[in-house]
Amino acid sequence: MAPQDGAVVGAADAAADAAVGTVDAAHGDGPVRFATSPDRYNHWKLMIDGNVATLAMDVTETATLKPGYELKLNSYDLGVDIELYDAIQRLRFEHPEVGAVVMRSNKPNVFCAGANIRMLGKSTHDHKVNFCKFTNETRNGIEDATENSHQTYICAINGAAAGGGYELALATDHIMLIDDGASTVSLPELPLLAVLPGTGGLTRLVDKRKVRHDRADFFCTTSEGMRGKRAVDWNIIDESVPKSQFEEAVVQRAREFADKSDRPRDAKGVTLTPVNVDYGADQISYDHITADQISYDHITIEIDRTHGVAAFTIAGPSEAPPADARGVAGQGVDFWPFALARQLDAAIMHLRVNEGEIGTWVFRTRGDGALLAAYDRLLQDAADDWLVREITLYLKRTLKRVDVSSRSLISLIEPGSCFTGTLLELVLISDRSYMLDGTLEGSNLPPATVRMTGMNFGPYPMGNGLTRLQTRLLGEPDKIEAAQKTIGDELDAEAADGLGLITFIPDDIDWDDEVRIAIEERASFSPDSLIGLEANLRFAGPETMETKIFGRLSAWQNWIFQRPNAAGEQGALKLYGTGQRSQFDKKRV
Amino acid sequence: MAPQDGAVVGAADAAADAAVGTVDAAHGDGPVRFATSPDRYNHWKLMIDGNVATLAMDVTETATLKPGYELKLNSYDLGVDIELYDAIQRLRFEHPEVGAVVMRSNKPNVFCAGANIRMLGKSTHDHKVNFCKFTNETRNGIEDATENSHQTYICAINGAAAGGGYELALATDHIMLIDDGASTVSLPELPLLAVLPGTGGLTRLVDKRKVRHDRADFFCTTSEGMRGKRAVDWNIIDESVPKSQFEEAVVQRAREFADKSDRPRDAKGVTLTPVNVDYGADQISYDHITADQISYDHITIEIDRTHGVAAFTIAGPSEAPPADARGVAGQGVDFWPFALARQLDAAIMHLRVNEGEIGTWVFRTRGDGALLAAYDRLLQDAADDWLVREITLYLKRTLKRVDVSSRSLISLIEPGSCFTGTLLELVLISDRSYMLDGTLEGSNLPPATVRMTGMNFGPYPMGNGLTRLQTRLLGEPDKIEAAQKTIGDELDAEAADGLGLITFIPDDIDWDDEVRIAIEERASFSPDSLIGLEANLRFAGPETMETKIFGRLSAWQNWIFQRPNAAGEQGALKLYGTGQRSQFDKKRV
């Protein structure tokens, strides 16, 4: 599976690209754009050979997201990760035939040097945190593809893999390291930079690969890394392969994994065309975003900068679903649940990274709950179809993005809304939900209802492995059974409240005040403490590698990212590469 | 169970005490002392009435640990918690007859106002973190007493319980709130102080009491708190009891819990006499600690300030254990495992709080492994005895304190050592362990060995619910069975290495260098990143309420404790009570 063997999909000419816009447009203080496509990639080459894909890292040093650093040695910034995320999504949807993906490097002697250190040193605290979160989500996506899409990722480390480079390898299911007498894998963050291997590294070492904690300690404090027999014995890698046999072994292993996949080799993929978005009058001056209304085909977002609110209105489907999986394939990206996942994903990423002061997301819906229930039924009935499976997994991942967004989530269930099944998940995870009990004076809309579907009972687990309903009703498990019996029923406020689905059900008289106070109050609190509160309250119940990465590893890393020993003017992140050594404050806390 | 009903044990006359030393000595920048006893309590009254104890909070405002604040409204500082910890320990060991403990307040209309805010505002970051950790450990100890000592804690909230006050109640098994039309329970940290309810509050709400996350969100953002039917319906409290019936209901409930206990009503308790400690020549100037040698009866600690090392040497027992539980009772606090737990506990607390720049703890032992194995056998054979049970639980808790200490742990296994069973636990949790393979040149001691006992296979679970061996060998579970087969055998370096018990087994030639480098290297790293690394690597495997409290809640709180929105000059912690409002940086990270 050497790069030159496959057909190059969307081979970007990085030098040309750098001159024509993608890169330059991304430079500077403007918003971060998440939309890309293989023909615009600066950093990755995607090649397909039968049922095996190769995703080769070949970072263009100058094509950085912001100015002030160079992406040497296949080091990366958020821009590199945005392309990686795009490639992973396309492999799932556009390439049903691919059963295994080989990650490797196109640079000689280096696989990947990890997150760019100068970029980290120059970044604001919130950029570092957002960057790590997105990177973690992308890596979880690699694992989700392996486990649930049966598109298995393996890593062919054909050069040094340091820090985030090795963490990327950890996200794959099989790690092969070239034995060329020099290449190692390493997590040198602690000795070199005084921070953690924070994009999943520590957790994946001891929880996924079950490396003994004392060995992990040695490995993580040894900047030169590890190779050969000891690396295999310690389960740091799966195979150490002599240089002369490396390419052949990678091909063979990739074929083995690919041949075990149940993905259909003759199905037609769905091309991920760009997601439409309209920033209204501000679209032209997107570089200095002030857009107070953002419109996707099914989602409109109104931004209230005074109260720091992004008010989502999600429009349900306007037509009945197709009859079956073949109909879903026919609609492709226009199939409503698929379109919803893509637009919600795009909106979340934009708001997270480009609208940091907008601390509260309010969710409203409008539409026909019965239609939504029909779409959910189709997702369940056709769950065996590869594309329906992918769409459902994408909705799952997107809902998880909502869960780990550091924003207060408030759902408002009003007459005319359609919080049914898939969309009801937003209510279940919200920090607060309000459902109007009865009608609004002067409106002829019937009272609001919500509706459970089978999709609320399994297909969308949270990071903790439980459904949102299970997490919510940890203390009242008998209500889960009661809720399941209502599948398809329209539940009015009292019924929904009785089942534990809603926080408050004010009537017409109290509605405006209660909602207004909840939103204004949120804006008056310290965002830091809200972030901590929400991160602790949302994930009751069991823990998984994912909740550990987001709840524990990230919290420690965020703490360290603020400590003078790492981020201060004399901290290790700032001084790296200058030849100066940090003088650490030795106090343990 | 009104306070006046019982005999007062160690009723401190706080005013008198304040004049004679305990309080004054604790004031100022000197070290924090953890040794106390009921006759010196400033803040608690301990009363026993048959099989029910009452632990009443009655904080002396002026008896603060440091100057600059007053402990109004039963608010607390570390000094209050130190007395609480002492009382809990004494109830377990000195009062086998007590089956239930009622926590309440002796102040009118207030139960407890939580951690003192001015104290928090004036404290250094590391003091806040240490304070929260100790408080969390004490509360876990309350739960351990309830669950494993069958001494059930219940909380009679006879006045307002705010913040840490309610968190204290959450640590008990049954929460009764007086219905006097005014008293509430609340977690107002977020709205008032911009920090988290960080001593277990958030985790206990959603994981222990399984309060729905959206209700928990409302409760935690509502400074006025909650009472009555809604508080019961939401499971925030267990009972709301009319004022006129409150005292009677508390007595009745306490008796019910006490009568279900298996604790022996006719056994004789063991008095917790003071732990001997010798600070050498520096004992006199203890207020400005420079002691480089600290000696307990069985533990000596040498401090190397250049490399930030506290080198523990633990001496094993010098005599065979008594024949049975009766013999254990006869020896009381002198029974070697009991004495070990007390001395190790005292040493850990002292080093954690008073020696913050000593970042590495090195463990050595010396003695006869066979004798230690005999003690461990007795602990197992007499496990049904109440006192042996208590001693084992105390060892368990003390070993857990080691696990969550923010220090690098290195074990050195040399000829003459006795890392057997209970003491082997220190090796298993160490971030790094070195065992000399063979003998030292010039020494006639036989090669070092280690030895498993039954105590390594269950009685000392970590916070994650697994034994240290299970946590260590998550990836090689078959080795656990192999290790169990070696119980009692002397394992040389190679055998111990083969079982996965040890990190490295250098020989005589490499020993000095390898050990020296490991220790010196540790001293060269940023302590912050080491703390984060160790906290993430030590606790692989499942999570529990405890690991969530230490690994997640604490990490978030530590992060928030550093944010300007809370701890800055214009932060909420600093401005509380001044009438000024914080202007928060609204950016979400």
Side-chain angles (χ1 to χ4, degrees), chain B residues 103-142:
Chain B
M103 304 200 75
R104 57 179 299 148
S105 159
N106 272 2
K107 295 250 191 293
N109 302 323
V110 63
F111 173 74
C112 167
N116 188 275
I117 297 164
R118 283 184 66 82
M119 176 277 293
L120 286 177
K122 289 166 102 48
S123 292
T124 58
H125 182 63
D126 60 285
H127 183 80
K128 284 200 281 280
V129 173
N130 261 318
F131 166 64
C132 286
K133 185 177 283 183
F134 183 76
T135 301
N136 273 319
E137 288 176 318
T138 304
R139 284 157 192 203
N140 290 345
I142 287 175

Short mmCIF file of all heavy atoms in Angstrom, two decimals, chain B residues 103-142:
data_model
loop_
_atom_site.label_atom_id
_atom_site.label_comp_id
_atom_site.label_asym_id
_atom_site.label_seq_id
_atom_site.Cartn_x
_atom_site.Cartn_y
_atom_site.Cartn_z
N MET B 103 -25.35 13.69 62.13
CA MET B 103 -24.65 14.97 61.98
C MET B 103 -25.68 16.08 62.05
O MET B 103 -26.72 16.03 61.40
CB MET B 103 -23.92 15.02 60.64
CG MET B 103 -22.97 13.86 60.47
SD MET B 103 -21.72 14.22 59.20
CE MET B 103 -20.69 15.35 60.09
N ARG B 104 -25.38 17.08 62.85
CA ARG B 104 -26.31 18.20 62.98
C ARG B 104 -25.56 19.45 63.40
O ARG B 104 -24.33 19.43 63.48
CB ARG B 104 -27.41 17.86 63.97
CG ARG B 104 -26.90 17.49 65.36
CD ARG B 104 -28.06 17.21 66.27
NE ARG B 104 -28.88 18.41 66.38
CZ ARG B 104 -30.21 18.38 66.56
NH1 ARG B 104 -30.85 17.22 66.64
NH2 ARG B 104 -30.87 19.50 66.66
N SER B 105 -26.29 20.50 63.65
CA SER B 105 -25.67 21.75 64.06
C SER B 105 -26.14 22.12 65.46
O SER B 105 -27.27 21.84 65.84
CB SER B 105 -26.07 22.85 63.08
OG SER B 105 -25.92 24.13 63.66
N ASN B 106 -25.26 22.74 66.21
CA ASN B 106 -25.66 23.29 67.50
C ASN B 106 -25.98 24.79 67.42
O ASN B 106 -26.22 25.42 68.44
CB ASN B 106 -24.55 23.06 68.54
CG ASN B 106 -24.71 21.71 69.22
OD1 ASN B 106 -25.61 20.94 68.89
ND2 ASN B 106 -23.82 21.41 70.18
N LYS B 107 -25.91 25.33 66.24
CA LYS B 107 -26.20 26.75 66.09
C LYS B 107 -27.67 26.92 65.71
O LYS B 107 -28.22 26.11 64.96
CB LYS B 107 -25.34 27.35 64.96
CG LYS B 107 -23.86 27.35 65.21
CD LYS B 107 -23.34 28.76 65.44
CE LYS B 107 -21.83 28.82 65.43
NZ LYS B 107 -21.18 28.13 66.55
N PRO B 108 -28.30 28.01 66.17
CA PRO B 108 -29.69 28.21 65.80
C PRO B 108 -29.84 28.61 64.33
O PRO B 108 -29.06 29.44 63.83
CB PRO B 108 -30.16 29.34 66.72
CG PRO B 108 -28.92 30.05 67.15
CD PRO B 108 -27.80 29.06 67.09
N ASN B 109 -30.78 27.99 63.64
CA ASN B 109 -31.18 28.36 62.26
C ASN B 109 -30.13 28.15 61.18
O ASN B 109 -30.38 28.45 60.02
CB ASN B 109 -31.65 29.83 62.20
CG ASN B 109 -32.80 30.07 63.15
OD1 ASN B 109 -33.66 29.20 63.32
ND2 ASN B 109 -32.79 31.22 63.83
N VAL B 110 -28.99 27.66 61.56
CA VAL B 110 -28.02 27.37 60.50
C VAL B 110 -27.41 25.99 60.74
O VAL B 110 -27.07 25.64 61.87
CB VAL B 110 -26.92 28.46 60.41
CG1 VAL B 110 -26.11 28.52 61.69
CG2 VAL B 110 -26.00 28.21 59.22
N PHE B 111 -27.37 25.22 59.68
CA PHE B 111 -26.69 23.93 59.78
C PHE B 111 -25.21 24.14 59.48
O PHE B 111 -24.35 23.94 60.32
CB PHE B 111 -27.33 22.93 58.81
CG PHE B 111 -26.58 21.62 58.73
CD1 PHE B 111 -26.65 20.69 59.76
CD2 PHE B 111 -25.80 21.32 57.62
CE1 PHE B 111 -25.94 19.49 59.68
CE2 PHE B 111 -25.09 20.13 57.54
CZ PHE B 111 -25.17 19.21 58.58
N CYS B 112 -24.93 24.61 58.28
CA CYS B 112 -23.53 24.87 57.91
C CYS B 112 -23.53 25.68 56.63
O CYS B 112 -24.23 25.35 55.67
CB CYS B 112 -22.78 23.55 57.72
SG CYS B 112 -21.17 23.71 56.91
N ALA B 113 -22.73 26.73 56.63
CA ALA B 113 -22.68 27.63 55.47
C ALA B 113 -21.61 27.23 54.46
O ALA B 113 -21.34 27.97 53.52
CB ALA B 113 -22.47 29.06 55.93
N GLY B 114 -20.97 26.07 54.67
CA GLY B 114 -19.99 25.61 53.69
C GLY B 114 -18.61 26.17 53.94
O GLY B 114 -18.33 26.76 54.99
N ALA B 115 -17.75 25.96 52.98
CA ALA B 115 -16.38 26.46 53.10
C ALA B 115 -16.40 27.98 53.23
O ALA B 115 -17.17 28.65 52.55
CB ALA B 115 -15.57 26.05 51.87
N ASN B 116 -15.55 28.48 54.09
CA ASN B 116 -15.51 29.93 54.32
C ASN B 116 -15.00 30.66 53.08
O ASN B 116 -13.93 30.35 52.55
CB ASN B 116 -14.62 30.22 55.53
CG ASN B 116 -14.69 31.67 55.91
OD1 ASN B 116 -13.98 32.50 55.36
ND2 ASN B 116 -15.58 31.99 56.85
N ILE B 117 -15.77 31.62 52.65
CA ILE B 117 -15.48 32.25 51.36
C ILE B 117 -14.28 33.20 51.45
O ILE B 117 -13.45 33.24 50.55
CB ILE B 117 -16.73 32.99 50.84
CG1 ILE B 117 -17.83 31.95 50.60
CG2 ILE B 117 -16.44 33.72 49.55
CD1 ILE B 117 -19.20 32.56 50.46
N ARG B 118 -14.20 33.91 52.54
CA ARG B 118 -13.03 34.79 52.67
C ARG B 118 -11.74 33.97 52.73
O ARG B 118 -10.72 34.35 52.18
CB ARG B 118 -13.16 35.68 53.91
CG ARG B 118 -14.13 36.85 53.68
CD ARG B 118 -14.18 37.77 54.89
NE ARG B 118 -12.92 38.46 55.14
CZ ARG B 118 -12.53 39.57 54.51
NH1 ARG B 118 -13.30 40.09 53.58
NH2 ARG B 118 -11.38 40.14 54.80
N MET B 119 -11.84 32.82 53.41
CA MET B 119 -10.67 31.92 53.46
C MET B 119 -10.30 31.50 52.03
O MET B 119 -9.13 31.55 51.64
CB MET B 119 -11.02 30.71 54.34
CG MET B 119 -9.98 29.61 54.43
SD MET B 119 -10.00 28.41 53.06
CE MET B 119 -11.58 27.58 53.34
N LEU B 120 -11.30 31.09 51.24
CA LEU B 120 -11.01 30.67 49.87
C LEU B 120 -10.43 31.83 49.06
O LEU B 120 -9.48 31.65 48.29
CB LEU B 120 -12.29 30.17 49.17
CG LEU B 120 -12.81 28.79 49.59
CD1 LEU B 120 -14.11 28.48 48.86
CD2 LEU B 120 -11.78 27.70 49.30
N GLY B 121 -11.01 33.01 49.23
CA GLY B 121 -10.54 34.18 48.49
C GLY B 121 -9.10 34.52 48.81
O GLY B 121 -8.35 34.98 47.94
N LYS B 122 -8.68 34.27 50.06
CA LYS B 122 -7.32 34.63 50.47
C LYS B 122 -6.32 33.50 50.25
O LYS B 122 -5.10 33.71 50.39
CB LYS B 122 -7.31 34.97 51.98
CG LYS B 122 -8.00 36.29 52.31
CD LYS B 122 -8.26 36.40 53.81
CE LYS B 122 -7.30 37.26 54.56
NZ LYS B 122 -6.98 38.57 54.06
N SER B 123 -6.82 32.31 49.96
CA SER B 123 -5.92 31.15 49.91
C SER B 123 -5.13 31.08 48.61
O SER B 123 -5.60 31.51 47.56
CB SER B 123 -6.72 29.85 50.05
OG SER B 123 -7.26 29.75 51.33
N THR B 124 -3.97 30.49 48.70
CA THR B 124 -3.20 30.19 47.49
C THR B 124 -3.89 29.06 46.74
O THR B 124 -4.69 28.31 47.30
CB THR B 124 -1.78 29.73 47.84
OG1 THR B 124 -1.89 28.57 48.69
CG2 THR B 124 -1.01 30.82 48.57
N HIS B 125 -3.55 28.96 45.46
CA HIS B 125 -4.13 27.89 44.64
C HIS B 125 -3.88 26.53 45.27
O HIS B 125 -4.78 25.71 45.39
CB HIS B 125 -3.54 27.96 43.23
CG HIS B 125 -4.09 26.95 42.28
ND1 HIS B 125 -5.42 26.92 41.92
CD2 HIS B 125 -3.51 25.91 41.62
CE1 HIS B 125 -5.63 25.92 41.07
NE2 HIS B 125 -4.47 25.30 40.88
N ASP B 126 -2.65 26.29 45.71
CA ASP B 126 -2.36 24.96 46.23
C ASP B 126 -3.07 24.69 47.56
O ASP B 126 -3.45 23.57 47.84
CB ASP B 126 -0.85 24.71 46.34
CG ASP B 126 -0.18 25.69 47.27
OD1 ASP B 126 -0.01 26.86 46.86
OD2 ASP B 126 0.15 25.30 48.40
N HIS B 127 -3.29 25.73 48.35
CA HIS B 127 -4.03 25.48 49.59
C HIS B 127 -5.48 25.11 49.28
O HIS B 127 -6.03 24.18 49.88
CB HIS B 127 -4.00 26.69 50.53
CG HIS B 127 -4.70 26.43 51.83
ND1 HIS B 127 -4.12 25.74 52.87
CD2 HIS B 127 -5.97 26.71 52.25
CE1 HIS B 127 -4.98 25.62 53.87
NE2 HIS B 127 -6.11 26.19 53.52
N LYS B 128 -6.08 25.80 48.32
CA LYS B 128 -7.46 25.47 47.95
C LYS B 128 -7.57 24.02 47.48
O LYS B 128 -8.49 23.30 47.85
CB LYS B 128 -7.95 26.40 46.83
CG LYS B 128 -8.32 27.80 47.27
CD LYS B 128 -9.25 28.51 46.28
CE LYS B 128 -8.53 29.07 45.09
NZ LYS B 128 -7.84 30.35 45.30
N VAL B 129 -6.60 23.63 46.65
CA VAL B 129 -6.65 22.28 46.10
C VAL B 129 -6.45 21.24 47.19
O VAL B 129 -7.18 20.25 47.28
CB VAL B 129 -5.59 22.13 44.98
CG1 VAL B 129 -5.50 20.69 44.50
CG2 VAL B 129 -5.93 23.06 43.81
N ASN B 130 -5.47 21.47 48.07
CA ASN B 130 -5.25 20.54 49.18
C ASN B 130 -6.45 20.46 50.10
O ASN B 130 -6.82 19.39 50.57
CB ASN B 130 -4.02 20.99 49.99
CG ASN B 130 -2.78 20.21 49.62
OD1 ASN B 130 -2.83 18.99 49.44
ND2 ASN B 130 -1.67 20.90 49.50
N PHE B 131 -7.04 21.59 50.37
CA PHE B 131 -8.21 21.66 51.24
C PHE B 131 -9.35 20.84 50.65
O PHE B 131 -9.97 20.00 51.33
CB PHE B 131 -8.60 23.14 51.38
CG PHE B 131 -9.94 23.41 51.95
CD1 PHE B 131 -10.26 23.03 53.25
CD2 PHE B 131 -10.91 24.08 51.20
CE1 PHE B 131 -11.52 23.31 53.78
CE2 PHE B 131 -12.16 24.36 51.72
CZ PHE B 131 -12.47 23.97 53.01
N CYS B 132 -9.63 21.03 49.36
CA CYS B 132 -10.71 20.27 48.72
C CYS B 132 -10.42 18.77 48.73
O CYS B 132 -11.31 17.96 48.92
CB CYS B 132 -10.92 20.73 47.28
SG CYS B 132 -11.72 22.32 47.16
N LYS B 133 -9.16 18.42 48.50
CA LYS B 133 -8.83 16.99 48.47
C LYS B 133 -9.06 16.34 49.83
O LYS B 133 -9.68 15.29 49.94
CB LYS B 133 -7.37 16.80 48.02
CG LYS B 133 -7.01 15.34 47.85
CD LYS B 133 -5.61 15.16 47.32
CE LYS B 133 -5.53 15.46 45.84
NZ LYS B 133 -4.19 15.22 45.30
N PHE B 134 -8.57 16.99 50.88
CA PHE B 134 -8.75 16.43 52.22
C PHE B 134 -10.23 16.35 52.56
O PHE B 134 -10.71 15.35 53.12
CB PHE B 134 -8.01 17.30 53.25
CG PHE B 134 -8.08 16.76 54.65
CD1 PHE B 134 -7.30 15.67 55.03
CD2 PHE B 134 -8.93 17.32 55.59
CE1 PHE B 134 -7.38 15.16 56.33
CE2 PHE B 134 -9.01 16.82 56.89
CZ PHE B 134 -8.23 15.74 57.26
N THR B 135 -10.97 17.39 52.22
CA THR B 135 -12.41 17.40 52.50
C THR B 135 -13.10 16.27 51.76
O THR B 135 -13.95 15.56 52.32
CB THR B 135 -12.99 18.77 52.09
OG1 THR B 135 -12.30 19.77 52.84
CG2 THR B 135 -14.47 18.87 52.39
N ASN B 136 -12.74 16.07 50.51
CA ASN B 136 -13.31 14.96 49.75
C ASN B 136 -12.97 13.62 50.39
O ASN B 136 -13.81 12.73 50.48
CB ASN B 136 -12.81 14.99 48.30
CG ASN B 136 -13.66 15.89 47.42
OD1 ASN B 136 -14.88 15.88 47.53
ND2 ASN B 136 -13.03 16.64 46.55
N GLU B 137 -11.74 13.47 50.83
CA GLU B 137 -11.34 12.20 51.44
C GLU B 137 -12.13 11.96 52.73
O GLU B 137 -12.52 10.84 53.03
CB GLU B 137 -9.84 12.21 51.73
CG GLU B 137 -9.01 12.10 50.46
CD GLU B 137 -7.52 12.22 50.72
OE1 GLU B 137 -7.11 13.08 51.51
OE2 GLU B 137 -6.76 11.45 50.12
N THR B 138 -12.34 13.03 53.49
CA THR B 138 -13.09 12.88 54.74
C THR B 138 -14.52 12.46 54.44
O THR B 138 -15.09 11.60 55.13
CB THR B 138 -13.05 14.21 55.52
OG1 THR B 138 -11.69 14.57 55.73
CG2 THR B 138 -13.74 14.07 56.85
N ARG B 139 -15.09 13.03 53.42
CA ARG B 139 -16.47 12.66 53.06
C ARG B 139 -16.55 11.25 52.51
O ARG B 139 -17.49 10.52 52.80
CB ARG B 139 -17.03 13.69 52.08
CG ARG B 139 -17.38 14.93 52.86
CD ARG B 139 -17.42 16.19 52.06
NE ARG B 139 -17.49 17.32 52.98
CZ ARG B 139 -17.95 18.51 52.68
NH1 ARG B 139 -18.39 18.73 51.48
NH2 ARG B 139 -17.98 19.45 53.60
N ASN B 140 -15.55 10.85 51.73
CA ASN B 140 -15.51 9.45 51.31
C ASN B 140 -15.39 8.54 52.53
O ASN B 140 -15.93 7.44 52.54
CB ASN B 140 -14.31 9.20 50.39
CG ASN B 140 -14.49 9.86 49.03
OD1 ASN B 140 -15.59 10.26 48.67
ND2 ASN B 140 -13.41 9.96 48.29
N GLY B 141 -14.69 9.01 53.56
CA GLY B 141 -14.55 8.24 54.79
C GLY B 141 -15.89 8.06 55.49
O GLY B 141 -16.16 7.00 56.08
N ILE B 142 -16.73 9.07 55.45
CA ILE B 142 -18.08 8.96 56.02
C ILE B 142 -18.85 7.86 55.28
O ILE B 142 -19.52 7.02 55.90
CB ILE B 142 -18.81 10.32 55.89
CG1 ILE B 142 -18.22 11.32 56.90
CG2 ILE B 142 -20.31 10.16 56.11
CD1 ILE B 142 -18.78 12.73 56.77
#
